[in-house]
Amino acid sequence: MTELSQATAQNTRKDAYQSASSRLTRSSLLIWNATLAVMFAVAAAIPWASNGLSFWFYLLQWVTLATAVNLVAGLVGYLPFGFVAFFGIGSYAAAVLTQFHGVLAGWSICGAAMAGTVLALLFAPTMRLSGVFFSIVSLSLSIVLKSLVSILPEHVAGGSSGVTITAIKDPSLAYYLMVALCLVSLSIATLIAVTPYGLRLKAIRDDAGAAAMIGIDVTRLRLSVWLLSATIASTCGGIEALYSSVIDPSASFNMLISAKAIIYAALGGLGTVMGPLLGALLMSVVDELIWARFPVANLFILGALISLTVLAMPKGLIGSLLDRHPRFRRWLF
Amino acid sequence: MATLVPNIILNAAILGVIYGFLGLSLTIVYGGMRIANLAHGDIVVAGSFITYALTAKFGYSPIAALPVAFTYLSVLGYGLYRIAGKRLQNSREPELASFLFFYGVSLMISASLLFVFDADARAISFQFRPLSFQFLGLRVPHARLVAAGVALALVPVIFWALYQTIYGKALRGAIMNRDALRIVGIDIDRLSLFAFSISFGLAGMTGVLIALVFPAFSPFSGMDYTILGFVVIVLGGLGSPLGALAGGMVFALTEQLTTLYLGQSTGLIAGFLVLVAVIVVRPAGLMGQVEWRA
Amino acid sequence: MKRRQFLTLSGRAGLLAAAANAAPALLTRRAAAQTRSSIRIGMSISSTGPFAHDAQSGSRAIKMWLDDANRQGGLLHRGRRLPIELLIRDDRSDKQLVPRVYESLINDDKIDLVLGPYGSTLTAAAAAVTERYDVFMMGWAVAADTVFQQGYRFIVNGGTTPISRVPDVPVQVLKDVGGRVVSTIAVDEPYSEALAGLIKIAAEKRGLRIGTMEKYQRGARDFTISLQKAAAAGTDLLCITSYDSDMIAMLRQMKENDINFPAIFSGFSQNSSILALGADAIGLWGQFNIDPRVHYPVTRGADAAGFLKAYRATYPGGPDPDINTAVAYAGTTVLGAVIEQAADLSAAALKRAALDLSGKLTVLSGTYAIDETGQQTGFNILVLQNTADGRDVIAPASVATAKPRYPMPTWAERA
């Protein structure tokens, strides 16, 4: 009996893999990987080619955060308004370890990653909630966390003045770490998309009950994605702390970080791999353009742009393009 | 400090009514249409600025701002629903789409307020006479009493509209089961348009009341009120008008008592922790009947 | 067919990526100045966000300084007058945007030196970049002492009194008039909290008692309880170190609940938003750095009276000048002196000049002096008290124009 069900499970897995991979031909994957490789070769060369690292650093940061939030929002269907909690805890872990305990940059980033994982485990029970309940509880927890961090004594976490990292003068290490993290998060997203893992996640998002019925371990799968996404975000926060070298509670736990990550991912297309990348790239450039050109009206234009894009393309750039032209399905995912 | 307790409970009750009123207009839209109006707080702040303009520039009483704010902002709501409402509701994930759309709207509103009123903090200088009332050793500011009074007078009207009129019944029906309403032949679009405009108007009136209680505001305080509104309705139970009031009360009482005993910085933390605790114990909120699924 | 489709598609994607990459660089890049025909100064001002109002108050004075200097043909540099080009960018009060703005000013706009953004938080973020590129920064609104404890080499505070030296003045006034208990109310932000902590130290140093030290989160609206607690603790001097909008709410809540304090001190007491409260603002103690009745032997730029007159002429009907306007004028006036003193415009030469000028330059807000870290040690603050028809200088004693009215009128007395 068990053997039989195992065999069936194996079959489903195989079918799932085949259906996923038949959608994406080998060549399309090759192209995607090649594009990624070229992009990251360019990103790695930036410090030689350009003097202004910050634009590129934050571009990569937004791609990473949008990709990470997409794992939870696009693949599991949770909208974490308090996603910044992970980013913030990572920032603080890295800054406190580096500045107050003299830990080397590399290890403090590991600390940041671990802090995110632990926090995600602590917050895991909130996944019982759904819809706006989850979102608001997540937001509340991030606000509580921010307050707790600023209440901590100054020698522990800097109080509300935050922490200034003086140990690291050269930001290029943090830049390369961000390049690496961005590449890793995009690769993880790609891997999830082409393996049955992703298909099962989508099944959960569409109907958790039905997914459980066909033998998917809903809780475990959700939890693993949740941990993965949180860990990426906290690592990202840690690297940002090393890069900017000045952190404080209101900046590290700024709600705008959650909002921007979600918006970038959603405008590009939630649940796709390319969407968050495209969304973050386009919006960063658009932001830069209107910020420089329209000093008075920039907020208004940004708002109008977001609203109009949602109305015109409710599934984001990639999602809506695929709806209209399903033949691109092979190339865009 | 014990001598402060009765006064604080009275104060919390007044704030609770205002918080509840803030949630009430939000829950009509979210519960009925699953539109997450992220611009709710900005509408509220717009209502406060209308009050400021009327009292400071034209010397009217803030009470006169109530109908004005209601009219202007329900027209704005009408317009927004006409432009976006149907599309948002028909999209595959109305919550997400409306979250993004109204985030954009929120940016546009605060940018417009910034343009018209500058970044300065504005304050309503109008004062009621006498400034406060004293009875049984308690002191209540006149303005807060007026604000709570207006809210308490409007709540029965809203409840009557929701529970006694055919529109209200249909709307509450929509909170429970949208599709069933469509089947029985109710024009959901017209109903939604109506409810949406009313909700915006009520949010504007909330702004007037909030200007009475908290007389200083800036174009960027909108997000604070949006969060507060959502916290209150999630705490009380989505789509439950009575729950919104209960949620407001619980939140205000927690916040005020913690402030008294532990200090103001823990007040807000306690409020949010109570929310988390309530939701973990009762995922549908204090008075919610339906547990929403994503 | 498929292949062609793919080729066009990937070609387009490539173009898009290239365009996306190139856009920001093309947008701001300009040809570098070949021979020096001007002095290029970069800075950022917040158009939106929590610092917008204060930053814009400052920027009005900076524009006055710029027009003044350029009307005379610019600043004297190596025996030649060079016009000043001021490049102002927007930082939206965003700490993450500031490094990008200053990087772009340095790399794309090829500025010679920079003026800081508004506030200690943003200045610290900008300093991380300017130090990396060895660019001199004149900070004008950087009051936090911590910024100068990071080992930065090329940042100088030419505008404002550091917060560590603010509390002594009002607390001494309280002691002089016989008050005993000091309480603070602060928002959980660096400047506000640091100031509250320093007030506590200043009070304890003088043997005064601390009543309550309340801290609240940004966005809090109801301060009634905190105020009642402070009053119950017998507070003589309440120090409000947070935003002016919160202070408006606090004053209203004090009035409505008839909570009285003999003295209230806040950096915002002379802001137009507080003065607009009319009778409710009478008696408040505030922090200011200039007053037309306080004369310093000014060696450069306008004195306080002259500055206020010029401001009125430049911005008729505009917003009242506040402390940030005066601070910005002081900072830019000092910067002008530093540039004229410097051998060249390298960061090291400018810092050298800034140190050389220390103690030898008097501007509208007093004598400028810095220590090796660049932190201001000169400028003293004035404590002003609002009166029915203006304001009195009540401290320091050497320049006071009136005795403090202590206790200030209760709410009942005002009505």
Side-chain angles (χ1 to χ4, degrees):
Chain A
M1 193 61 194
T2 30
E3 260 172 54
L4 188 68
S5 63
Q6 251 175 10
T8 330
Q10 223 146 34
N11 264 344
T12 4
R13 213 167 292 158
K14 212 166 159 191
D15 291 346
Y17 181 73
Q18 273 166 356
S19 68
S21 52
S22 68
R23 220 165 28 80
L24 301 169
T25 57
R26 191 161 292 176
S27 55
S28 71
L29 261 180
L30 203 69
I31 292 153
W32 169 241
N33 288 338
T35 317
L36 277 188
V38 170
M39 277 177 55
F40 281 91
V42 171
I46 292 286
W48 283 285
S50 155
N51 283 318
L53 264 192
S54 290
F55 173 79
W56 303 101
F57 179 86
Y58 287 110
L59 187 67
L60 290 169
Q61 179 200 294
W62 288 120
V63 171
T64 310
L65 284 177
T67 305
V69 87
N70 180 43
L71 293 180
V72 177
L75 294 179
V76 196
Y78 289 110
L79 215 52
F81 286 180
F83 196 61
V84 68
F86 303 117
F87 180 88
I89 202 80
S91 286
Y92 262 88
V96 167
L97 285 174
T98 315
Q99 187 64 19
F100 294 164
H101 303 285
V103 176
L104 283 177
W107 288 111
S108 63
I109 295 299
C110 294
M114 268 166 59
T117 318
V118 171
L119 192 71
L121 276 175
L122 283 176
F123 285 1
T126 61
M127 300 189 76
R128 285 198 307 154
L129 305 170
S130 48
V132 79
F133 283 103
F134 173 84
S135 304
I136 294 299
V137 166
S138 153
L139 176 68
S140 307
L141 286 172
S142 78
I143 294 174
V144 168
L145 198 67
K146 176 201 155 184
S147 313
L148 288 179
V149 165
S150 64
I151 285 180
L152 284 175
E154 282 205 8
H155 62 273
V156 176
S160 50
S161 324
V163 183
T164 304
I165 303 176
T166 46
I168 296 169
K169 286 264 180 273
D170 182 18
S172 55
L173 171 70
Y175 178 79
Y176 286 118
L177 282 172
M178 189 56 92
V179 172
L181 179 69
C182 189
L183 185 60
V184 166
S185 54
L186 279 170
S187 311
I188 289 175
T190 311
L191 267 176
I192 291 178
V194 299
T195 55
Y197 196 59
L199 215 60
R200 270 179 257 149
L201 281 169
K202 279 187 183 147
I204 295 176
R205 184 192 61 190
D206 294 339
D207 191 337
M213 208 91 87
I214 59 167
I216 296 176
D217 188 344
V218 174
T219 320
R220 225 182 84 189
L221 216 54
R222 268 182 183 171
L223 184 67
S224 56
V225 173
W226 174 246
L227 291 181
L228 198 61
S229 163
T231 308
I232 294 175
S234 71
T235 315
C236 184
I239 297 174
E240 201 270 340
L242 294 190
Y243 184 82
S244 75
S245 77
V246 189
I247 67 161
D248 62 63
S250 52
S252 292
F253 291 93
N254 191 344
M255 253 193 57
L256 264 183
I257 295 179
S258 314
K260 272 183 160 179
I262 295 174
I263 286 168
Y264 291 177
L267 290 186
L270 278 181
T272 64
V273 177
M274 296 174 176
L277 171 68
L278 194 64
L281 286 179
L282 277 181
M283 285 308 287
S284 294
V285 172
V286 164
D287 202 31
E288 184 91 10
L289 288 174
I290 55 178
W291 157 65
R293 290 257 169 100
F294 306 97
V296 183
N298 58 27
L299 260 191
F300 190 91
I301 298 174
L302 193 66
L305 217 63
I306 292 172
S307 296
L308 292 176
T309 317
V310 175
L311 290 186
M313 292 176 282
K315 283 186 176 179
L317 291 168
I318 301 277
S320 298
L321 186 70
L322 289 181
D323 269 7
R324 247 161 258 171
H325 307 281
R327 65 205 152 93
F328 289 153
R329 205 164 282 273
R330 187 164 296 151
W331 309 109
L332 303 173
F333 59 98
Chain B
M1 269 196 270
T3 53
L4 294 177
V5 171
N7 226 343
I8 279 164
I9 290 177
L10 180 67
N11 196 27
I14 291 174
L15 290 184
V17 171
I18 308 286
Y19 290 179
F21 200 68
L22 177 70
L24 199 57
S25 45
L26 190 59
T27 204
I28 294 176
V29 166
Y30 187 80
M33 290 161 245
R34 298 196 65 197
I35 288 180
N37 182 3
L38 220 59
H40 192 73
D42 298 281
I43 313 289
V44 169
V45 173
S48 299
F49 272 101
I50 289 177
T51 320
Y52 167 77
L54 283 179
T55 54
K57 297 264 150 65
F58 304 105
Y60 288 122
S61 154
I63 300 300
L66 283 168
V68 179
F70 183 85
T71 316
Y72 274 109
L73 291 166
S74 49
V75 167
L76 177 68
Y78 181 90
L80 279 176
Y81 191 85
R82 268 294 164 90
I83 296 169
K86 241 174 147 175
R87 272 170 176 277
L88 292 178
Q89 277 188 283
N90 293 341
S91 75
R92 202 166 65 98
E93 290 176 82
E95 256 174 55
L96 177 70
S98 59
F99 163 73
L100 290 171
F101 177 79
F102 282 103
Y103 184 74
V105 171
S106 153
L107 287 182
M108 286 191 273
I109 293 176
S110 46
S112 311
L113 288 177
L114 183 73
F115 187 72
V116 179
F117 294 97
D118 293 332
D120 304 24
R122 297 290 166 166
I124 307 282
S125 52
F126 183 91
Q127 285 165 355
F128 289 95
R129 303 266 162 214
L131 209 54
S132 59
F133 296 107
Q134 224 169 347
F135 59 95
L136 301 172
L138 299 175
R139 185 184 280 276
V140 195
H142 195 150
R144 290 196 180 194
L145 214 56
V146 170
V150 170
L152 283 177
L154 284 171
V155 165
V157 178
I158 296 169
F159 273 56
W160 172 79
L162 279 175
Y163 287 86
Q164 298 295 322
T165 65
I166 185 76
Y167 290 112
K169 285 178 181 167
L171 193 67
R172 281 193 311 123
I175 291 173
M176 291 169 204
N177 193 335
R178 252 190 111 66
D179 297 330
L181 269 189
R182 204 166 271 144
I183 293 166
V184 297
I186 286 173
D187 184 348
I188 286 224
D189 286 324
R190 247 188 61 201
L191 182 67
S192 301
L193 179 62
F194 181 69
F196 201 80
S197 318
I198 297 288
S199 160
F200 266 57
L202 287 177
M205 287 169 97
T206 315
V208 179
L209 302 184
I210 281 184
L212 285 177
V213 178
F214 306 125
F217 36 83
S218 79
F220 300 105
S221 26
M223 195 47 87
D224 293 336
Y225 290 114
T226 304
I227 294 176
L228 190 60
F230 270 105
V231 164
V232 161
I233 63 169
V234 167
L235 187 57
L238 285 182
S240 158
L242 210 57
L245 288 179
M249 286 287 177
V250 169
F251 193 83
L253 206 61
T254 317
E255 198 186 46
Q256 299 279 309
L257 283 176
T258 323
T259 303
L260 176 65
Y261 288 109
L262 296 176
Q264 190 141 14
S265 57
T266 38
L268 197 69
I269 303 184
F272 283 116
L273 282 180
V274 164
L275 164 78
V276 174
V278 167
I279 296 304
V280 167
V281 177
R282 243 188 92 83
L286 288 171
M287 300 203 175
Q289 302 134 347
V290 205
E291 197 176 331
W292 292 86
R293 286 178 195 290
Chain C
M1 191 62 194
K2 264 179 205 162
R3 183 156 299 224
R4 179 188 283 174
Q5 211 171 53
F6 150 68
L7 281 175
T8 42
L9 197 72
S10 59
R12 270 178 214 162
L15 263 179
L16 195 70
N21 290 350
L26 286 178
L27 193 73
T28 41
R29 197 173 294 280
R30 281 188 197 164
Q34 296 301 320
T35 53
R36 182 173 300 289
S37 59
S38 68
I39 297 169
R40 291 168 74 85
I41 303 176
M43 77 176 300
S44 76
I45 289 291
S46 318
S47 70
T48 58
F51 304 124
H53 174 256
D54 294 331
Q56 283 162 27
S57 282
S59 76
R60 282 190 284 272
I62 292 171
K63 281 182 193 123
M64 279 171 65
W65 166 79
L66 179 72
D67 293 344
D68 262 2
N70 280 341
R71 218 173 290 130
Q72 297 165 11
L75 291 172
L76 205 58
H77 180 65
R78 292 178 163 192
R80 203 151 62 91
R81 284 211 175 267
L82 292 175
I84 308 163
E85 280 183 78
L86 184 64
L87 291 90
I88 299 181
R89 300 277 177 264
D90 178 14
D91 60 42
R92 297 189 232 168
S93 304
D94 180 350
K95 207 200 74 181
Q96 290 203 344
L97 194 54
V98 166
R100 265 168 60 187
V101 173
Y102 278 83
E103 252 185 19
S104 151
L105 283 168
I106 293 168
N107 292 316
D108 304 327
D109 298 318
K110 310 286 181 207
I111 46 79
D112 297 304
L113 60 144
V114 298
L115 272 160
Y118 179 82
S120 302
T121 309
L122 298 186
T123 305
V129 171
T130 54
E131 286 292 315
R132 194 180 295 156
Y133 289 99
D134 292 345
V135 169
F136 179 81
M137 171 153 72
M138 175 59 73
W140 56 277
V142 47
D145 300 79
T146 47
V147 177
F148 294 90
Q149 291 157 7
Q150 311 299 337
Y152 294 146
R153 297 157 299 155
F154 303 128
I155 166 171
V156 166
N157 171 8
T160 177
T161 314
I163 41 175
S164 57
R165 291 191 18 248
V166 168
D168 285 331
V169 194
V171 171
Q172 185 60 44
V173 179
L174 182 76
K175 192 174 162 70
D176 292 345
V177 296
R180 280 174 301 124
V181 184
V182 180
S183 290
T184 62
I185 183 160
V187 68
D188 65 339
E189 296 208 0
Y191 176 85
S192 176
E193 244 196 277
L195 184 55
L198 290 161
I199 288 169
K200 176 173 185 270
I201 295 170
E204 282 168 348
K205 207 165 68 188
R206 288 170 176 77
L208 302 178
R209 201 158 58 76
I210 296 298
T212 57
M213 289 191 77
E214 278 290 342
K215 182 171 111 177
Y216 65 89
Q217 320 252 316
R218 195 161 143 203
R221 293 157 296 268
D222 195 6
F223 307 99
T224 315
I225 300 174
S226 296
L227 294 167
Q228 280 169 338
K229 279 164 76 178
T235 300
D236 294 317
L237 172 65
L238 177 72
C239 299
I240 300 170
T241 67
S242 46
Y243 304 107
D244 61 342
S245 58
D246 293 346
M247 184 171 168
I248 295 171
M250 287 178 209
L251 288 172
R252 168 64 70 97
Q253 286 161 14
M254 284 180 214
K255 185 177 181 182
E256 285 177 345
N257 293 289
D258 197 29
I259 304 169
N260 289 291
F261 297 98
I264 296 172
F265 170 77
S266 161
F268 304 110
S269 295
Q270 278 84 36
N271 270 23
S272 52
S273 54
I274 302 289
L275 292 174
L277 299 176
D280 292 356
I282 294 175
L284 300 175
W285 299 2
Q287 170 194 346
F288 223 74
N289 56 346
I290 61 164
D291 190 272
R293 288 159 294 180
V294 175
H295 300 287
Y296 297 110
V298 169
T299 58
R300 192 179 172 96
D303 65 358
F307 167 71
L308 293 173
K309 208 174 135 211
Y311 181 92
R312 282 273 163 253
T314 317
Y315 302 103
D320 286 333
D322 57 23
I323 185 165
N324 294 307
T325 327
V327 150
Y329 190 76
T332 44
T333 307
V334 170
L335 178 63
V338 169
I339 291 174
E340 295 199 340
Q341 170 87 11
D344 57 69
L345 293 182
S346 71
L350 287 164
K351 175 72 182 287
R352 188 72 257 148
L355 283 168
D356 288 345
L357 281 172
S358 174
K360 298 175 194 137
L361 177 68
T362 303
V363 298
L364 78 171
S365 52
T367 299
Y368 150 91
I370 55 167
D371 61 17
E372 282 293 321
T373 66
Q375 176 62 310
Q376 184 58 233
T377 58
F379 303 144
N380 284 315
I381 69 153
L382 306 173
V383 174
L384 305 186
Q385 183 172 35
N386 295 334
T387 61
D389 48 3
R391 53 185 81 159
D392 289 333
V393 181
I394 56 169
S398 55
V399 293
T401 62
K403 286 252 171 282
R405 184 172 173 198
Y406 179 90
M408 63 188 239
T410 62
W411 299 112
E413 284 164 15
R414 280 169 220 253

